[in-house]
Amino acid sequence: MDPRLNYFGNALATKVLKHLYSAGKVVSDSTLPESVQRLVEIRASQINGCGFCTDMHTKDAAHAGETSIRLNLVAAWREATVFTEAERAALELAEQGTRVADAAGGVTDEAWANAAKHFDDDQLVALISLIAVINSYNRINIINQQPAGGYQVGQFG
């Protein structure tokens, strides 16, 4: 599989990605726990079918010390006992925020209240922003058919 175009080598794309990266950097520097950030990135990427982001974020999470058991169970987090209540709340918010088109009501009040029990306002802002940013990256990669499997940890700096 080849990408439709060399998106990462395009000057205009570089300008677009610079702004997405900057938004992502604000989130990664926030107080939202890194493990929550990685799980949310992986789950949204799985839902969207973005192989490139799923590959990248699982490899980055493993490199940061995430266990293979937890990584393998992200897609089935509801039936898994390896996630904290805060992680489960973040995963639920990520799923509902990602499945806006097929989730008739969008994000439910129950999912929001559960997340708000575990995260302060700044962390909630970071979580909302992370969901938006990863969905943007997913869409770029899906539209471009960016192939998965070749990502190397640290490849983008």
Side-chain angles (χ1 to χ4, degrees), residues 20-98:
L20 276 177
Y21 175 80
S22 294
K25 180 78 170 117
V26 172
V27 172
S28 68
D29 290 345
S30 75
T31 60
L32 184 66
E34 184 179 346
S35 61
V36 169
Q37 292 180 44
R38 299 298 79 80
L39 294 173
V40 165
E41 290 168 333
I42 292 165
R43 187 64 191 125
S45 298
Q46 290 172 332
I47 291 167
N48 287 323
C50 183
F52 186 83
C53 286
T54 302
D55 179 41
M56 176 170 57
H57 295 300
T58 55
K59 286 177 179 174
D60 285 345
H63 181 75
E66 189 60 76
T67 68
S68 62
I69 291 172
R70 284 169 45 93
L71 291 174
N72 290 332
L73 290 173
V74 171
W77 64 269
R78 282 181 180 80
E79 292 79 31
T81 60
V82 297
F83 300 105
T84 67
E85 288 304 312
E87 290 168 339
R88 297 169 74 74
L91 287 164
E92 179 67 29
L93 195 67
E95 282 194 5
Q96 290 187 17
T98 297

